[in-house]
Amino acid sequence: MAIYNKLPLLLLISIILLFLNHPVLADIDEEDVLFTGINSYRTSQNLTTLNKNDNAECLADEIAERFKNRPCTNDTGSATVPGTEPQFADYPKILAKCHLNVSDTRDGSVMPACVPRLESSLVLTNFTKSQYSMSLNESKFTGMGIGKENDWIVVVLTTNTPGGTYSTDDHDDDHDDDDSNGFTFSIGLVNYLLVFILSFCFVLCYDI
């Protein structure tokens, strides 16, 4: 049967289409590098590693967005004199965008740093070899979120206390997340089936 002779071609086409359909891995992000670097630093200090906190990451993104057009100077970011940090009049609105409020975040720590071109060799030291190292050495912190814009990168530290979890008790959101994961899995399976069917049809047409 002619179709059996085409099976190797069918398999080859399927593999090629699946490869093209699979998302290409992006370059390593500065946020990922910093996340790993901070946890490595804490490990070297005999401290527990920090878990990723999505709401803290959201807040870090929003804060970085506010800083992005400010230039790096000798008294900005990690070099800011304590007590002179920039204040945002709309901070409650910033928190609300991330489903947070002041009571969720009062025990946390927000640490912005400005590094030209976000040079990876300098970003980590802006946290581990600056006034921010005091917070990184605190055992009370259990989570972390990171955001960046232009030359600014922001780390938000969270705790497991009610005043620092950076999370809201919203069961509906959890339910939506579960549904989304299931939907994503279903779409992925459909994509693979479509690739196989299209490959099969192509071979049949080619054989005719």
Side-chain angles (χ1 to χ4, degrees):
M1 307 262 312
I3 186 62
Y4 292 109
N5 295 329
K6 302 299 182 182
L7 283 178
L9 178 61
L10 173 62
L11 290 173
L12 177 61
I13 294 174
S14 297
I15 292 171
I16 293 174
L17 289 176
L18 285 173
F19 176 79
L20 293 176
N21 188 56
H22 197 276
V24 178
L25 292 176
D27 291 336
I28 296 177
D29 190 87
E30 292 91 346
E31 297 172 14
D32 296 327
V33 173
L34 181 58
F35 187 92
T36 301
I38 287 177
N39 274 331
S40 295
Y41 171 79
R42 281 179 62 90
T43 298
S44 71
Q45 302 299 309
N46 295 318
L47 296 166
T48 58
T49 57
L50 303 174
N51 298 315
K52 180 180 178 181
N53 185 299
D54 290 335
N55 283 345
E57 182 176 316
C58 174
L59 180 60
D61 284 332
E62 292 295 328
I63 298 297
E65 178 70 23
R66 297 303 194 280
F67 275 110
K68 69 177 183 180
N69 293 322
R70 301 190 184 194
C72 295
T73 67
N74 291 330
D75 58 358
T76 58
S78 60
T80 302
V81 177
T84 64
E85 298 87 352
Q87 303 296 315
F88 301 104
D90 61 342
Y91 191 64
K93 292 183 178 179
I94 297 175
L95 292 175
K97 290 184 67 175
C98 297
H99 310 290
L100 298 169
N101 56 57
V102 175
S103 63
D104 300 322
T105 60
R106 63 175 180 269
D107 292 340
S109 179
V110 178
M111 305 183 296
C114 191
V115 181
R117 297 177 299 281
L118 292 181
E119 290 273 352
S120 58
S121 60
L122 299 176
V123 170
L124 181 60
T125 57
N126 263 259
F127 291 92
T128 60
K129 296 185 182 300
S130 69
Q131 59 179 306
Y132 293 153
S133 64
M134 295 179 62
S135 294
L136 294 181
N137 287 327
E138 286 275 1
S139 60
K140 70 176 183 179
F141 292 116
T142 58
M144 169 173 50
I146 302 175
K148 65 180 176 66
E149 286 290 343
N150 295 347
D151 291 338
W152 287 88
I153 190 161
V154 179
V155 173
V156 175
L157 301 180
T158 69
T159 70
N160 58 7
T161 60
T165 58
Y166 282 70
S167 61
T168 53
D169 186 16
D170 191 337
H171 297 296
D172 290 337
D173 286 347
D174 292 340
H175 180 70
D176 290 343
D177 289 342
D178 291 341
D179 289 345
S180 176
N181 290 336
F183 180 73
T184 302
F185 174 78
S186 298
I187 290 299
L189 182 59
V190 170
N191 283 343
Y192 286 119
L193 289 174
L194 284 176
V195 167
F196 183 79
I197 292 171
L198 287 174
S199 302
F200 189 77
C201 291
F202 177 82
V203 171
L204 287 178
C205 294
Y206 180 81
D207 188 55
I208 295 173

